[in-house]
Amino acid sequence: IFDEPKKVKKIGNPVHDSVKVSVLWAGHSTSLVQIYDKVILFDPFFNKRFSGLLLRRTELGLNLDSLKQLDAIFVSHSHFDHLSYSSLNLLADKFPKTKLIFPEGVENYLPDYNLDMIRVDKSDTKFKNFVGKSVFVNDMKITPVFAYHTAGRYGFDTYTWREEGATGFIIEYKDVCFYYAGDTGYHDKAFKVIGEKFNIGVSLIPIGPCRNCDSLGFKYHTSSIEALELFKDIKAQYMIPVHYGAARYFTDENKPLYVMNELIDSLTAYRDLREKVIPLKVGEQKIWK
């Protein structure tokens, strides 16, 4: 209980004057994204422990003191490692009235923050059209899309009264189309539909947790190989893997990444993805100008 997460190198100023797209991976699924003049944060989880018990393996790779701009916060679902009350408190204090965007169902678990709360309608995304109703936020077009994942927060609410509220997000601004998958299992039709409807540039796709990361069928999360299949289905230009490295679920917390790299290097079906899949270190930022 006295252990501390491993220290990481943090960027001094993550927001830039002349950028088309940038992604700073802060660890787990938390990612700071800049699209031209807009700065957005996905699933902020700054906590040292998961659910107060499981130690974070590496510290948060984002220096909050150096962050001077934040236009929108996205929460994909209400699980503890994606909807963090203490993290949203910090952001509400530092950036009051910032837009907080979440799918229908998450509002049941949201306290009253000093944030501008925007609920998106995802009713068409699950085993229907796979694409929900778009909203415009600060000139960005936000569209909820299919994610095969449980909602709720405590387990009993998930399985007793079938709480809903998990989504992926498409963000379109100027000539950029950005995709954040949230947490999701693989579906052999949904992601092909998303790939046909949107011309995605950069994508954030989860690669864990997984027991047999080179196998199919891990239901509510994509294994390493399923993440690669998802990436191929959406036909995005680039993929940055997330949702690994922060917590030791079944085995080495970085196993999903090791397996993904082995699959790309060893299987002909994935070899052409080597230049398109861009793993980042915690705290590292990739910039497209």
Side-chain angles (χ1 to χ4, degrees), residues 19-287:
V19 161
K20 183 175 182 179
V21 176
S22 73
V23 176
L24 189 156
W25 185 43
H28 200 50
S29 288
T30 305
S31 302
L32 184 75
V33 174
Q34 183 176 351
I35 305 174
Y36 289 109
D37 59 317
K38 305 299 183 185
V39 179
I40 59 183
L41 187 62
F42 290 103
D43 285 345
F45 180 79
F46 306 155
N47 309 52
K48 189 169 76 172
R49 293 185 181 274
F50 290 77
S51 302
L53 297 172
L54 193 61
L55 179 70
R56 189 181 190 125
R57 306 297 292 179
T58 56
E59 68 174 352
L60 180 72
L62 174 64
N63 185 346
L64 290 173
D65 292 335
S66 69
L67 185 62
K68 306 303 182 186
Q69 177 187 344
L70 188 61
D71 298 289
I73 305 162
F74 289 80
V75 171
S76 63
H77 61 292
S78 51
H79 289 168
F80 285 87
D81 55 331
H82 295 261
L83 171 57
S84 165
Y85 293 153
S86 59
S87 302
L88 288 180
N89 262 326
L90 288 171
L91 293 171
D93 289 344
K94 185 174 176 63
F95 301 101
K97 302 301 181 184
T98 296
K99 310 295 185 184
L100 175 62
I101 302 157
F102 54 89
E104 185 176 0
V106 170
E107 72 275 8
N108 297 328
Y109 303 93
L110 276 173
D112 187 17
Y113 293 108
N114 188 21
L115 297 167
D116 184 4
M117 299 193 185
I118 300 172
R119 184 181 67 184
V120 296
D121 183 353
K122 59 170 288 294
S123 57
D124 283 343
T125 66
K126 194 166 185 179
F127 306 116
K128 292 182 181 178
N129 300 321
F130 305 115
V131 176
K133 297 177 176 63
S134 301
V135 297
F136 284 87
V137 178
N138 290 353
D139 298 322
M140 297 181 290
K141 184 179 180 182
I142 312 299
T143 306
V145 294
F146 174 88
Y148 188 32
H149 196 62
T150 58
R153 190 167 177 86
Y154 306 105
F156 62 83
D157 49 357
T158 300
Y159 299 105
T160 302
W161 52 81
R162 303 293 180 181
E163 189 72 68
E164 291 286 342
T167 193
F169 291 104
I170 293 282
I171 296 93
E172 295 173 279
Y173 180 59
K174 296 185 177 181
D175 60 343
V176 170
C177 181
F178 191 97
Y179 172 55
Y180 174 58
D183 274 8
T184 183
Y186 182 66
H187 188 276
D188 59 1
K189 181 180 178 183
F191 299 107
K192 292 181 177 68
V193 171
I194 293 169
E196 291 298 324
K197 287 184 176 289
F198 299 97
N199 183 21
I200 300 169
V202 181
S203 60
L204 301 178
I205 299 175
I207 62 172
C210 47
R211 292 184 180 90
N212 301 313
C213 296
D214 57 354
S215 301
L216 304 175
F218 196 47
K219 202 164 185 181
Y220 296 124
H221 293 96
T222 43
S223 64
S224 304
I225 193 167
E226 289 172 320
L228 293 176
E229 287 297 315
L230 191 163
F231 178 48
K232 289 173 66 176
D233 287 351
I234 63 170
K235 299 186 288 188
Q237 294 178 7
Y238 298 101
M239 166 187 166
I240 293 177
V242 297
H243 208 268
Y244 73 98
R248 182 168 289 177
Y249 291 101
F250 307 116
T251 181
D252 188 310
E253 63 273 10
N254 290 308
K255 181 180 178 181
L257 179 64
Y258 302 150
V259 173
M260 187 189 70
N261 284 333
E262 289 174 4
L263 290 168
I264 293 173
D265 291 339
S266 62
L267 297 183
T268 304
Y270 304 121
R271 242 169 240 166
D272 63 343
L273 301 182
R274 172 48 65 200
E275 301 302 317
K276 298 179 179 181
V277 177
I278 305 173
L280 298 179
K281 297 178 182 177
V282 175
E284 186 179 3
Q285 186 178 49
K286 172 67 178 176
I287 298 174

